[in-house]
CSV table of all heavy atoms in Angstrom, one decimal:
chain,number,residue,atom,x,y,z
T,1,THR,N,-46.4,116.6,65.8
T,1,THR,CA,-46.6,115.5,66.8
T,1,THR,C,-46.5,114.1,66.1
T,1,THR,O,-45.8,113.3,66.6
T,1,THR,CB,-48.0,115.7,67.4
T,1,THR,OG1,-48.1,117.0,68.0
T,1,THR,CG2,-48.2,114.6,68.5
T,2,ALA,N,-47.1,114.0,65.0
T,2,ALA,CA,-47.0,112.7,64.2
T,2,ALA,C,-45.6,112.4,63.9
T,2,ALA,O,-45.1,111.3,64.0
T,2,ALA,CB,-47.9,112.7,63.0
T,3,ALA,N,-44.9,113.4,63.4
T,3,ALA,CA,-43.5,113.3,63.1
T,3,ALA,C,-42.6,112.9,64.3
T,3,ALA,O,-41.8,112.0,64.1
T,3,ALA,CB,-42.9,114.6,62.4
T,4,LEU,N,-42.9,113.5,65.4
T,4,LEU,CA,-42.2,113.1,66.6
T,4,LEU,C,-42.4,111.6,67.0
T,4,LEU,O,-41.4,110.9,67.3
T,4,LEU,CB,-42.7,114.0,67.8
T,4,LEU,CG,-42.0,113.8,69.1
T,4,LEU,CD1,-40.5,114.0,69.1
T,4,LEU,CD2,-42.7,114.6,70.2
T,5,LEU,N,-43.6,111.1,66.9
T,5,LEU,CA,-43.9,109.7,67.1
T,5,LEU,C,-43.2,108.8,66.1
T,5,LEU,O,-42.5,107.9,66.4
T,5,LEU,CB,-45.4,109.5,67.1
T,5,LEU,CG,-46.2,110.1,68.2
T,5,LEU,CD1,-47.7,110.0,67.9
T,5,LEU,CD2,-45.8,109.3,69.5
T,6,PHE,N,-43.3,109.2,64.8
T,6,PHE,CA,-42.7,108.4,63.7
T,6,PHE,C,-41.2,108.3,63.8
T,6,PHE,O,-40.6,107.2,63.8
T,6,PHE,CB,-43.1,109.0,62.4
T,6,PHE,CG,-42.6,108.2,61.2
T,6,PHE,CD1,-43.2,107.0,60.8
T,6,PHE,CD2,-41.5,108.6,60.5
T,6,PHE,CE1,-42.7,106.2,59.8
T,6,PHE,CE2,-41.0,107.9,59.4
T,6,PHE,CZ,-41.6,106.7,59.1
T,7,VAL,N,-40.6,109.5,64.0
T,7,VAL,CA,-39.1,109.5,64.2
T,7,VAL,C,-38.6,108.7,65.4
T,7,VAL,O,-37.7,108.0,65.3
T,7,VAL,CB,-38.6,111.0,64.2
T,7,VAL,CG1,-37.1,111.0,64.5
T,7,VAL,CG2,-38.8,111.6,62.8
T,8,SER,N,-39.4,108.9,66.5
T,8,SER,CA,-39.0,108.1,67.7
T,8,SER,C,-39.1,106.6,67.4
T,8,SER,O,-38.3,105.8,67.9
T,8,SER,CB,-39.9,108.5,68.9
T,8,SER,OG,-39.7,109.8,69.2
T,9,LEU,N,-40.1,106.2,66.7
T,9,LEU,CA,-40.3,104.8,66.4
T,9,LEU,C,-39.3,104.3,65.3
T,9,LEU,O,-39.1,103.1,65.2
T,9,LEU,CB,-41.7,104.5,66.0
T,9,LEU,CG,-42.8,104.6,67.1
T,9,LEU,CD1,-44.2,104.5,66.5
T,9,LEU,CD2,-42.5,103.5,68.2
T,10,SER,N,-38.7,105.2,64.6
T,10,SER,CA,-37.7,104.8,63.6
T,10,SER,C,-36.4,104.6,64.3
T,10,SER,O,-35.5,103.9,63.8
T,10,SER,CB,-37.6,105.8,62.5
T,10,SER,OG,-37.0,107.0,62.9
T,11,GLU,N,-36.2,105.2,65.5
T,11,GLU,CA,-35.0,105.0,66.3
T,11,GLU,C,-35.0,103.8,67.1
T,11,GLU,O,-33.9,103.2,67.3
T,11,GLU,CB,-34.8,106.3,67.1
T,11,GLU,CG,-34.5,107.5,66.3
T,11,GLU,CD,-34.6,108.8,67.2
T,11,GLU,OE1,-34.9,108.7,68.4
T,11,GLU,OE2,-34.3,109.9,66.6
T,12,GLU,N,-36.1,103.4,67.6
T,12,GLU,CA,-36.2,102.2,68.4
T,12,GLU,C,-37.6,101.7,68.5
T,12,GLU,O,-38.6,102.4,68.5
T,12,GLU,CB,-35.7,102.4,69.9
T,12,GLU,CG,-36.7,103.3,70.7
T,12,GLU,CD,-36.2,103.5,72.1
T,12,GLU,OE1,-35.9,102.4,72.8
T,12,GLU,OE2,-36.3,104.6,72.6
T,13,ALA,N,-37.8,100.3,68.6
T,13,ALA,CA,-39.1,99.7,68.7
T,13,ALA,C,-39.4,99.9,70.2
T,13,ALA,O,-38.6,99.6,71.1
T,13,ALA,CB,-39.0,98.3,68.3
T,14,THR,N,-40.6,100.3,70.5
T,14,THR,CA,-41.1,100.5,71.9
T,14,THR,C,-42.6,100.4,72.0
T,14,THR,O,-43.3,100.5,71.0
T,14,THR,CB,-40.5,101.8,72.4
T,14,THR,OG1,-40.8,101.9,73.8
T,14,THR,CG2,-41.1,103.0,71.7
T,15,SER,N,-43.1,100.3,73.2
T,15,SER,CA,-44.5,100.4,73.4
T,15,SER,C,-45.0,101.8,73.4
T,15,SER,O,-44.2,102.7,73.7
T,15,SER,CB,-44.9,99.7,74.7
T,15,SER,OG,-44.5,100.5,75.8
T,16,LEU,N,-46.2,102.0,73.0
T,16,LEU,CA,-46.7,103.4,73.1
T,16,LEU,C,-46.7,104.0,74.5
T,16,LEU,O,-46.4,105.2,74.7
T,16,LEU,CB,-48.1,103.4,72.5
T,16,LEU,CG,-48.3,103.3,71.0
T,16,LEU,CD1,-49.7,103.5,70.6
T,16,LEU,CD2,-47.4,104.4,70.3
T,17,ALA,N,-47.0,103.1,75.4
T,17,ALA,CA,-47.0,103.6,76.8
T,17,ALA,C,-45.7,104.2,77.2
T,17,ALA,O,-45.5,105.3,77.8
T,17,ALA,CB,-47.5,102.5,77.8
T,18,ALA,N,-44.6,103.4,76.9
T,18,ALA,CA,-43.2,103.8,77.3
T,18,ALA,C,-42.8,105.1,76.5
T,18,ALA,O,-42.2,106.0,77.1
T,18,ALA,CB,-42.3,102.7,77.1
T,19,LEU,N,-43.1,105.1,75.2
T,19,LEU,CA,-42.8,106.2,74.4
T,19,LEU,C,-43.5,107.5,74.8
T,19,LEU,O,-42.9,108.5,75.0
T,19,LEU,CB,-43.1,105.9,72.9
T,19,LEU,CG,-42.9,107.0,71.9
T,19,LEU,CD1,-41.4,107.4,71.9
T,19,LEU,CD2,-43.3,106.6,70.5
T,20,CYS,N,-44.8,107.4,75.1
T,20,CYS,CA,-45.6,108.5,75.6
T,20,CYS,C,-45.1,109.0,76.9
T,20,CYS,O,-45.1,110.2,77.2
T,20,CYS,CB,-47.1,108.2,75.5
T,20,CYS,SG,-47.7,108.1,73.9
T,21,ASP,N,-44.8,108.1,77.8
T,21,ASP,CA,-44.2,108.5,79.1
T,21,ASP,C,-43.0,109.4,78.9
T,21,ASP,O,-42.9,110.5,79.5
T,21,ASP,CB,-43.9,107.3,80.0
T,21,ASP,CG,-45.1,106.6,80.6
T,21,ASP,OD1,-46.1,107.2,80.6
T,21,ASP,OD2,-44.9,105.5,81.1
T,22,ARG,N,-42.1,108.9,78.1
T,22,ARG,CA,-40.8,109.6,77.9
T,22,ARG,C,-41.0,111.0,77.2
T,22,ARG,O,-40.5,112.0,77.6
T,22,ARG,CB,-39.9,108.7,77.0
T,22,ARG,CG,-38.5,109.4,76.8
T,22,ARG,CD,-37.5,108.4,76.1
T,22,ARG,NE,-38.0,107.8,74.9
T,22,ARG,CZ,-37.9,108.3,73.7
T,22,ARG,NH1,-37.4,109.5,73.5
T,22,ARG,NH2,-38.4,107.6,72.6
T,23,LEU,N,-41.8,111.0,76.1
T,23,LEU,CA,-42.1,112.2,75.4
T,23,LEU,C,-42.9,113.2,76.2
T,23,LEU,O,-42.6,114.4,76.1
T,23,LEU,CB,-42.7,111.9,74.0
T,23,LEU,CG,-41.9,111.2,73.0
T,23,LEU,CD1,-42.7,110.8,71.8
T,23,LEU,CD2,-40.6,111.9,72.7
T,24,ALA,N,-43.9,112.7,76.9
T,24,ALA,CA,-44.7,113.6,77.8
T,24,ALA,C,-43.8,114.3,78.8
T,24,ALA,O,-44.0,115.5,79.1
T,24,ALA,CB,-45.9,112.9,78.4
T,25,ASP,N,-42.9,113.5,79.4
T,25,ASP,CA,-42.0,114.1,80.4
T,25,ASP,C,-41.1,115.2,79.8
T,25,ASP,O,-40.9,116.2,80.3
T,25,ASP,CB,-41.1,113.0,81.1
T,25,ASP,CG,-41.9,112.2,82.1
T,25,ASP,OD1,-43.0,112.6,82.5
T,25,ASP,OD2,-41.3,111.2,82.5
T,26,GLN,N,-40.5,114.8,78.6
T,26,GLN,CA,-39.6,115.8,77.9
T,26,GLN,C,-40.4,117.1,77.5
T,26,GLN,O,-39.8,118.1,77.6
T,26,GLN,CB,-39.1,115.1,76.6
T,26,GLN,CG,-38.0,114.1,76.9
T,26,GLN,CD,-37.6,113.4,75.6
T,26,GLN,OE1,-38.1,113.7,74.5
T,26,GLN,NE2,-36.7,112.5,75.7
T,27,LYS,N,-41.6,116.9,77.0
T,27,LYS,CA,-42.3,118.1,76.5
T,27,LYS,C,-43.2,118.8,77.5
T,27,LYS,O,-43.8,119.8,77.2
T,27,LYS,CB,-43.2,117.7,75.3
T,27,LYS,CG,-42.4,117.0,74.2
T,27,LYS,CD,-41.6,118.1,73.4
T,27,LYS,CE,-40.9,117.5,72.2
T,27,LYS,NZ,-40.2,118.5,71.5
T,28,GLY,N,-43.4,118.2,78.7
T,28,GLY,CA,-44.3,118.8,79.7
T,28,GLY,C,-45.8,118.6,79.3
T,28,GLY,O,-46.6,119.4,79.7
T,29,TRP,N,-46.1,117.5,78.6
T,29,TRP,CA,-47.5,117.3,78.2
T,29,TRP,C,-48.2,116.4,79.2
T,29,TRP,O,-47.5,115.6,79.9
T,29,TRP,CB,-47.5,116.6,76.8
T,29,TRP,CG,-47.0,117.5,75.7
T,29,TRP,CD1,-46.9,118.8,75.6
T,29,TRP,CD2,-46.4,117.0,74.4
T,29,TRP,NE1,-46.4,119.2,74.4
T,29,TRP,CE2,-46.1,118.1,73.7
T,29,TRP,CE3,-46.2,115.7,73.9
T,29,TRP,CZ2,-45.5,118.0,72.4
T,29,TRP,CZ3,-45.7,115.6,72.6
T,29,TRP,CH2,-45.3,116.8,71.9
T,30,ASP,N,-49.5,116.4,79.2
T,30,ASP,CA,-50.3,115.5,80.0
T,30,ASP,C,-50.1,114.1,79.4
T,30,ASP,O,-50.5,113.9,78.2
T,30,ASP,CB,-51.7,115.9,80.0
T,30,ASP,CG,-52.6,115.0,80.8
T,30,ASP,OD1,-52.6,115.0,82.0
T,30,ASP,OD2,-53.3,114.1,80.1
T,31,ARG,N,-49.7,113.1,80.2
T,31,ARG,CA,-49.4,111.8,79.7
T,31,ARG,C,-50.6,111.1,79.1
T,31,ARG,O,-50.6,110.5,78.0
T,31,ARG,CB,-48.8,110.9,80.8
T,31,ARG,CG,-48.4,109.5,80.3
T,31,ARG,CD,-48.6,108.5,81.4
T,31,ARG,NE,-48.2,107.2,80.9
T,31,ARG,CZ,-49.1,106.3,80.4
T,31,ARG,NH1,-50.4,106.7,80.3
T,31,ARG,NH2,-48.8,105.2,80.0
T,32,ARG,N,-51.7,111.1,79.8
T,32,ARG,CA,-52.9,110.4,79.4
T,32,ARG,C,-53.5,111.0,78.1
T,32,ARG,O,-53.9,110.3,77.2
T,32,ARG,CB,-53.9,110.4,80.6
T,32,ARG,CG,-55.2,109.7,80.4
T,32,ARG,CD,-55.2,108.2,80.3
T,32,ARG,NE,-54.3,107.2,80.8
T,32,ARG,CZ,-54.0,106.1,80.2
T,32,ARG,NH1,-54.6,105.8,79.0
T,32,ARG,NH2,-53.2,105.2,80.7
T,33,GLU,N,-53.5,112.3,78.1
T,33,GLU,CA,-54.1,112.9,76.9
T,33,GLU,C,-53.2,112.6,75.6
T,33,GLU,O,-53.7,112.3,74.6
T,33,GLU,CB,-54.1,114.4,77.1
T,33,GLU,CG,-54.8,115.2,76.0
T,33,GLU,CD,-54.9,116.7,76.3
T,33,GLU,OE1,-55.4,117.0,77.4
T,33,GLU,OE2,-54.6,117.5,75.4
T,34,PHE,N,-51.9,112.7,75.9
T,34,PHE,CA,-50.9,112.4,74.8
T,34,PHE,C,-51.0,111.0,74.3
T,34,PHE,O,-51.0,110.7,73.2
T,34,PHE,CB,-49.5,112.8,75.2
T,34,PHE,CG,-48.5,112.6,74.1
T,34,PHE,CD1,-48.6,113.1,72.9
T,34,PHE,CD2,-47.4,111.8,74.3
T,34,PHE,CE1,-47.7,112.9,71.8
T,34,PHE,CE2,-46.4,111.6,73.4
T,34,PHE,CZ,-46.6,112.1,72.1
T,35,LEU,N,-51.1,110.1,75.3
T,35,LEU,CA,-51.3,108.6,75.0
T,35,LEU,C,-52.5,108.4,74.1
T,35,LEU,O,-52.5,107.7,73.1
T,35,LEU,CB,-51.3,107.8,76.2
T,35,LEU,CG,-51.4,106.3,76.0
T,35,LEU,CD1,-50.3,105.7,75.2
T,35,LEU,CD2,-51.5,105.6,77.3
T,36,ASN,N,-53.6,109.0,74.5
T,36,ASN,CA,-54.8,108.9,73.7
T,36,ASN,C,-54.6,109.4,72.2
T,36,ASN,O,-55.1,108.7,71.3
T,36,ASN,CB,-56.0,109.6,74.3
T,36,ASN,CG,-56.5,108.8,75.5
T,36,ASN,OD1,-56.4,107.6,75.6
T,36,ASN,ND2,-57.1,109.5,76.5
T,37,ASP,N,-54.0,110.5,72.1
T,37,ASP,CA,-53.7,111.1,70.8
T,37,ASP,C,-52.8,110.2,70.0
T,37,ASP,O,-53.0,109.9,68.8
T,37,ASP,CB,-53.1,112.5,70.9
T,37,ASP,CG,-54.1,113.5,71.4
T,37,ASP,OD1,-55.3,113.3,71.4
T,37,ASP,OD2,-53.7,114.6,71.7
T,38,ALA,N,-51.7,109.7,70.7
T,38,ALA,CA,-50.7,108.8,70.1
T,38,ALA,C,-51.3,107.5,69.6
T,38,ALA,O,-51.0,107.1,68.5
T,38,ALA,CB,-49.6,108.6,71.0
T,39,LYS,N,-52.3,107.0,70.3
T,39,LYS,CA,-52.9,105.7,69.9
T,39,LYS,C,-53.7,105.9,68.6
T,39,LYS,O,-53.6,105.1,67.7
T,39,LYS,CB,-53.8,105.2,71.0
T,39,LYS,CG,-53.0,104.6,72.1
T,39,LYS,CD,-53.7,104.3,73.4
T,39,LYS,CE,-55.1,103.8,73.4
T,39,LYS,NZ,-55.6,103.4,74.8
T,40,ALA,N,-54.3,107.0,68.5
T,40,ALA,CA,-55.1,107.3,67.3
T,40,ALA,C,-54.1,107.6,66.1
T,40,ALA,O,-54.3,107.0,65.0
T,40,ALA,CB,-56.0,108.5,67.5
T,41,VAL,N,-53.1,108.3,66.3
T,41,VAL,CA,-52.1,108.7,65.3
T,41,VAL,C,-51.4,107.4,64.8
T,41,VAL,O,-51.3,107.1,63.6
T,41,VAL,CB,-51.1,109.7,65.7
T,41,VAL,CG1,-49.9,109.9,64.8
T,41,VAL,CG2,-51.8,111.1,65.9
């Protein structure tokens, strides 16, 4: 999960909200839960 966030941020600068929306949709994850985890990571 941390690698997914890091690699995504190495490809483009983006907000966590936008990144988590996109990744949660792709992976079928709960957006709010993933965003909370992503903020900590």
Side-chain angles (χ1 to χ4, degrees):
T1 303
L4 179 63
L5 291 166
F6 181 77
V7 170
S8 296
L9 291 172
S10 72
E11 294 169 354
E12 69 174 314
T14 188
S15 71
L16 284 183
L19 178 59
C20 289
D21 283 345
R22 182 171 53 87
L23 293 175
D25 283 347
Q26 287 175 359
K27 301 287 187 178
W29 295 335
D30 177 81
R31 182 213 179 267
R32 186 61 29 212
E33 186 176 315
F34 181 54
L35 179 59
N36 286 335
D37 290 346
K39 286 168 37 175
V41 169

